Amino acid sequence: MKKIIINVGRQLGSGGRVIARKLADDFGCGFYDRELLNLAARESGFCEKFFEQSDEHRGFFKSLFHTHVPHVSDCNFYNNKLSQESLFKFQSDAIRRAAEEGSCVFVGRCADYVLRDRNDVVNIFITANTDDRIRQVCSRKGCSEEEAQKIIQRGDKERASYYNYYTGKIWGHGASYDLCVNSSLLGLDRTEEYIKQFIIQRFDIK
């Protein structure tokens, strides 16, 4: 099978990560979500903890310097190379290296922008109805509907701010992607199958 790169953006609670994992299995692709944090941390020499805390959250450093930072002996926290832009660059380099090595599915992390010059890429965005998203977050987090709604609002705001800042595009806007799908309409399995068929046609996979 020819090499393909599938980038999946998603609203919180839309099932986007589950769908992305199924696509990776169907097409025999490497799957990169938090795995990118491991790669970026390993390559940069910085502690993975800081990548996790800044993950798709552009305001991380601003908030970090207003809080107590515990000493972590194996983290080069005070290295002057450490900045939000540096972390984004390290992660972007990890994305490019993974894409060079073989077929991949990337979840979020502005991978569509990072790989914008490649011709073997398809960019997907997955949404869902608010009620379905709330139920999903309640199930995953074991929280109330009210708390789930707050988590969704906060998560979407952080993802949008991160994406818009680094790409100059609009997170979740149709013009930023090749295909936008509401997973509430077909359910996760049938939505994944729909996207799979789109990708087969897009790359003329036999």
Side-chain angles (χ1 to χ4, degrees), residues 84-96 166:
Q84 193 78 52
E85 279 66 31
S86 295
L87 293 182
F88 180 76
K89 181 182 184 302
F90 293 141
Q91 187 167 266
S92 298
D93 288 345
I95 289 171
R96 293 187 190 97
Y166 285 110

Side-chain angles (χ1 to χ4, degrees), residues 6-93:
I6 304 168
N7 299 316
V8 180
R10 75 284 183 224
Q11 288 183 319
L12 189 64
S14 66
R17 190 181 189 279
V18 173
I19 290 171
R21 172 66 80 177
K22 289 176 179 289
L23 289 169
D25 291 342
D26 281 349
F27 288 105
C29 296
F31 179 78
Y32 295 94
D33 184 5
R34 286 195 175 276
E35 291 84 352
L36 280 172
L37 303 180
N38 292 326
L39 286 174
R42 203 159 49 234
E43 293 293 332
S44 68
F46 292 118
C47 179
E48 184 182 349
K49 165 190 169 186
F50 297 114
F51 284 89
E52 290 179 347
Q53 292 182 347
S54 68
D55 188 28
E56 295 189 295
H57 182 185
R58 192 172 67 85
F60 165 65
F61 276 89
K62 182 178 180 180
S63 64
L64 183 63
F65 285 109
H66 287 83
T67 61
H68 172 67
V69 181
H71 174 68
V72 182
S73 60
D74 62 344
C75 294
N76 299 323
F77 179 74
Y78 294 104
N79 187 308
N80 59 14
K81 293 182 180 179
L82 183 59
S83 69
Q84 193 78 52
E85 279 66 31
S86 295
L87 293 182
F88 180 76
K89 181 182 184 302
F90 293 141
Q91 187 167 266
S92 298
D93 288 345

Side-chain angles (χ1 to χ4, degrees), residues 130-163:
T130 300
D131 288 347
D132 291 332
R133 297 173 66 197
I134 289 173
R135 280 193 291 272
Q136 170 70 13
V137 172
C138 284
S139 175
R140 194 170 71 220
K141 300 283 189 180
C143 62
S144 67
E145 290 187 0
E146 182 179 0
E147 182 60 26
Q149 194 161 19
K150 290 179 182 178
I151 291 171
I152 287 170
Q153 290 172 348
R154 183 169 60 248
D156 281 357
K157 182 178 179 181
E158 289 173 355
R159 287 178 182 178
S161 176
Y162 182 90
Y163 182 89

Side-chain angles (χ1 to χ4, degrees), residues 166-179:
Y166 285 110
T167 70
K169 301 193 292 181
I170 301 175
W171 182 77
H173 192 278
S176 299
Y177 309 91
D178 300 314
L179 178 68

Side-chain angles (χ1 to χ4, degrees), residues 108-146:
R109 284 123 191 126
C110 303
D112 58 319
Y113 176 77
V114 173
L115 302 175
R116 63 193 180 279
D117 294 328
R118 299 182 66 99
N119 59 14
D120 54 358
V121 168
V122 61
N123 302 314
I124 311 294
F125 191 84
I126 300 171
T127 68
N129 295 344
T130 300
D131 288 347
D132 291 332
R133 297 173 66 197
I134 289 173
R135 280 193 291 272
Q136 170 70 13
V137 172
C138 284
S139 175
R140 194 170 71 220
K141 300 283 189 180
C143 62
S144 67
E145 290 187 0
E146 182 179 0

